[in-house]
């Protein structure tokens, strides 16, 4: 049996069918339908945030966030090289200049002490990532941003349900974005969200994701980033199962931790945050050991993933970037183990045995 790093969670199809019946009744398939509205309201309550806009993926959510922050072609954004490629590629796609700030070797998040040295007169924003759901130094980042009049955009794709000091992590930053891709903790098959405390800004985003239309008239430059009722329906089903999903993931996460904590180094988790059990990364001593382990696992049809590899400061389509040795080092020897609802203890025992 094939074991991948992730297996998308699927709810009871009967439950999904009930939502489909509603779509067939209303004939409202997309464009701000009732299920999308319901999902947004339920997500606001679940995540304890004021405004949330459901969009069609986490990548375009980032691009719209840059627009909302008023970023213009050529502006500089300081970001982390240790993330999924979309964190950087969206900046490049919007013709923004990336300036990489290296990471903390223990938390894997952008090292906020290094931040000030990267600020130039062209810097307009900071784009940190709560890597594997582990919150960044949000207070330090906020102070630096205020002092230098910079916007803060959090790529919070991994941070679904994370709280920091008993408050939603999404309360930090001017804007935060989420991904609801099938492989994420909570998903809508494809999807994402923009979270922003400023209600006027969310209204603006609502126009932008619908071609810039307001009362059917193109009022501002927009794009198509709406999501459909079928995707919202999946989200509504999965949101109902979140307690179960988290319980199962916690069991799997803790089992790995118990058996591997003495063999591997691991991410240092923020003591003020809760774990959402989204990923289980382990660090090898060097890349050679990682490659050997990966070969052993692959031979048994087990496919963990090298999240995140390569370090984004090494991308050949971003020649302007400055090197980040800590991120390059971590990226070369980190591996995320299979973690999903339905992963059996037998499978986990086999993975653990192959890693010892
Ligand atoms: C998944 C992910 C994205 C992209 O989200 P999509 O919904 O797949 O477009 C962006 N940033 C990070 C850190 C991610 O993990």
């Amino acid at each position: 049996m094939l074991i991948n790093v992730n297996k998308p969670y699927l709810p009871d199809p009967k439950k999904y069918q009930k939502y489909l019946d509603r779509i067939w009744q209303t004939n409202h398939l997309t464009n701000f339908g009732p299920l999308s509205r319901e999902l947004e309201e339920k997500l606001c309550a679940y995540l304890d945030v004021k405004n949330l806009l459901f969009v069609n993926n986490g990548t375009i959510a980032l691009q719209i966030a840059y627009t909302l922050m008023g970023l213009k072609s050529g502006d500089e954004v300081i970001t982390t090289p240790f993330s999924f490629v979309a964190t950087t590629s969206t900046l490049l796609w919007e013709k923004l200049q990336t300036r990489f700030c290296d990471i903390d070797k223990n938390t894997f998040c952008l090292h906020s002490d290094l931040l000030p040295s990267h600020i130039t007169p062209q810097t307009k924003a900071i784009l940190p990532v709560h890597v594997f759901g582990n919150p960044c130094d949000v207070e330090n980042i906020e102070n630096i941003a205020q002092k230098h009049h910079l916007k803060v955009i959090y790529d919070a794709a991994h941070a679904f349900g994370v709280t920091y000091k008993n408050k939603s992590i999404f309360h930090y930053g001017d804007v935060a974005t989420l991904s609801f891709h099938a492989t994420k903790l909570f998903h809508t098959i494809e999807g994402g969200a923009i979270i922003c405390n400023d209600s006027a800004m969310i209204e603006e985003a609502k126009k932008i994701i619908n071609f810039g239309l307001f009362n059917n008239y193109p009022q501002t430059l927009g794009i198509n980033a709406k999501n459909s009722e079928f995707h919202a329906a999946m989200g509504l089903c999965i949101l109902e199962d979140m307690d179960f999903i988290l319980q199962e993931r916690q069991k799997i996460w803790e089992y790995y931790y118990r058996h591997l904590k003495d063999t591997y180094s691991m991410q240092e988790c923020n003591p003020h945050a809760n774990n959402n059990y989204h990923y289980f990364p382990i660090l090898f001593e060097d890349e050679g050991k990682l490659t050997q382990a990966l070969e052993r696992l692959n031979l048994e049809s087990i496919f963990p993933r090298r999240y995140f590899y390569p370090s984004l400061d090494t991308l050949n389509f971003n020649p302007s970037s400055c090197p980040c040795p800590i991120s390059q080092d971590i990226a070369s020897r980190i591996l995320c183990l299979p973690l999903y609802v339905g992963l059996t203890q037998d499978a986990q025992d086999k993975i653990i045995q192959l890693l010892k």
Side-chain angles (χ1 to χ4, degrees):
M1 203 182 63
L2 190 100
I3 300 174
N4 277 316
V5 68
N6 207 315
K7 183 176 168 190
Y9 180 80
L10 278 170
D12 180 349
K14 287 201 244 12
K15 202 154 74 172
Y16 191 64
Q17 184 62 47
K18 278 200 187 137
Y19 286 106
L20 294 187
D21 292 344
R22 278 172 62 183
I23 299 174
W24 258 256
Q25 274 162 22
T26 60
N27 217 18
H28 200 151
L29 310 190
T30 183
N31 285 42
F32 310 100
L35 296 179
S36 299
R37 289 290 81 83
E38 189 178 327
L39 179 65
E40 286 177 346
E41 277 166 27
K42 288 192 169 154
L43 283 172
C44 278
Y46 185 88
L47 300 172
D48 187 27
V49 297
K50 199 162 94 185
N51 307 299
L52 177 148
L53 185 65
F54 182 43
V55 299
N56 57 4
N57 61 67
T59 302
I60 200 122
L62 281 166
Q63 286 168 243
I64 290 163
Y66 307 153
T67 307
L68 289 174
M69 294 296 112
L71 301 183
K72 300 265 171 352
S73 162
D75 285 348
E76 261 176 33
V77 179
I78 303 174
T79 186
T80 169
F82 190 69
S83 183
F84 183 58
V85 66
T87 311
T88 285
S89 63
T90 47
L91 292 171
L92 299 175
W93 199 261
E94 295 296 333
K95 304 282 186 282
L96 297 162
Q97 295 286 328
T98 56
R99 257 195 97 94
F100 289 111
C101 173
D102 213 342
I103 59 170
D104 180 303
K105 69 180 190 334
N106 301 312
T107 67
F108 308 159
C109 291
L110 186 145
H111 199 317
S112 61
D113 290 347
L114 303 175
L115 246 180
S117 69
H118 291 283
I119 298 171
T120 76
Q122 282 72 47
T123 309
K124 293 289 167 4
I126 309 169
L127 173 65
V129 178
H130 304 302
V131 176
F132 305 133
N134 195 29
C136 303
D137 303 330
V138 285
E139 283 138 355
N140 206 6
I141 291 172
E142 191 168 283
N143 290 338
I144 294 166
Q146 269 173 10
K147 193 167 151 205
H148 297 272
H149 307 289
L150 305 176
K151 301 288 186 191
V152 181
I153 303 152
Y154 280 109
D155 180 344
H158 304 167
F160 190 87
V162 170
T163 58
Y164 174 78
K165 294 188 176 169
N166 296 318
K167 210 165 89 166
S168 167
I169 192 66
F170 306 125
H171 290 222
Y172 290 88
D174 294 287
V175 59
T177 63
L178 281 168
S179 164
F180 301 153
H181 181 257
T183 56
K184 299 302 207 281
L185 180 60
F186 164 83
H187 80 87
T188 61
I189 311 168
E190 289 276 359
I194 300 167
I195 292 176
C196 180
N197 270 324
D198 183 339
S199 304
M201 208 163 262
I202 283 285
E203 287 309 310
E204 181 66 14
K206 221 176 255 182
K207 281 184 234 161
I208 294 175
I209 70 167
N210 188 29
F211 312 100
L213 295 176
F214 185 70
N215 288 337
N216 293 326
Y217 186 85
Q219 205 184 53
T220 187
L221 178 64
I223 186 87
N224 182 5
K226 295 174 268 94
N227 212 335
S228 85
E229 291 292 275
F230 295 78
H231 293 81
M234 181 60 80
L236 285 165
C237 291
I238 291 179
L239 198 56
E240 282 176 35
D241 294 349
M242 272 323 285
D243 286 348
F244 168 72
I245 293 170
L246 287 168
Q247 264 169 29
E248 292 299 300
R249 296 185 79 105
Q250 177 173 8
K251 272 189 245 164
I252 295 164
W253 195 99
E254 284 173 354
Y255 194 77
Y256 275 140
Y257 185 74
R258 215 168 38 242
H259 290 90
L260 295 172
K261 68 177 189 317
D262 298 328
T263 320
Y264 293 93
S265 355
M266 301 193 182
Q267 183 180 30
E268 182 185 300
C269 295
N270 191 315
H272 300 293
N274 64 314
N275 192 338
N276 68 357
Y277 310 105
H278 200 332
Y279 295 91
F280 196 89
I282 57 171
L283 261 189
F284 288 80
E285 276 166 36
D286 55 56
E287 190 168 18
K289 292 216 167 66
L290 178 145
T291 319
Q292 285 166 13
L294 199 52
E295 276 170 14
R296 285 200 302 276
L297 289 156
N298 289 171
L299 278 173
E300 301 289 331
S301 300
I302 300 165
F303 298 95
R305 276 287 285 271
R306 295 186 69 177
Y307 289 143
F308 293 105
Y309 176 84
S311 180
L312 301 173
D313 54 310
T314 64
L315 295 174
N316 62 11
F317 50 84
N318 188 18
S320 67
S321 82
C322 40
C324 295
I326 301 168
S327 174
Q328 287 181 21
D329 172 50
I330 300 292
S332 74
R333 56 197 179 91
I334 196 165
L335 193 66
C336 279
L337 301 185
L339 173 52
Y340 52 81
V341 176
L343 183 71
T344 63
Q345 192 157 316
D346 281 353
Q348 270 197 292
D349 284 335
K350 191 166 178 185
I351 295 165
I352 290 162
Q353 180 209 330
L354 289 162
L355 286 168
K356 287 234 171 161

